[in-house]
Amino acid sequence: MKKIVINTDFIKLDALLKYSGMVLTGGEAKLLIQDGEVLVNGEVCTMRGKKIRSGDIISCSGSEIEVSNEA
């Protein structure tokens, strides 16, 4: 599992996918989320603007990332 550090209280799901390198473009993130291919803490999430906070785990295309506020 890859750890992604953010310096804010939250990051939106589509922005996180792009920031983490799971997708190359915002459009690609939008499609994956709309198609139900992204899991947030083990549950399908279809909201692009979902606020992702420290401790959340995101799964997509066989990859997993954990969001943290600490390096």
Side-chain angles (χ1 to χ4, degrees):
M1 181 181 313
K2 185 176 172 183
K3 186 175 181 180
I4 298 294
V5 177
I6 60 172
N7 298 316
T8 57
D9 288 338
F10 66 88
I11 185 171
K12 291 185 179 179
L13 179 57
D14 57 351
L16 175 67
L17 293 178
K18 193 172 168 189
Y19 176 68
S20 69
M22 290 181 111
V23 298
L24 298 176
T25 67
E28 187 179 349
K30 177 182 174 181
L31 289 175
L32 284 175
I33 295 166
Q34 282 180 342
D35 291 345
E37 296 183 37
V38 179
L39 302 179
V40 176
N41 298 322
E43 295 184 16
V44 173
C45 180
T46 57
M47 297 184 304
R48 282 184 10 213
K50 172 131 177 92
K51 293 179 180 178
I52 304 300
R53 301 177 190 277
S54 181
D56 286 341
I57 297 174
I58 312 305
S59 305
C60 178
S61 304
S63 298
E64 263 192 348
I65 56 174
E66 179 180 0
V67 179
S68 175
N69 283 55
E70 305 169 359

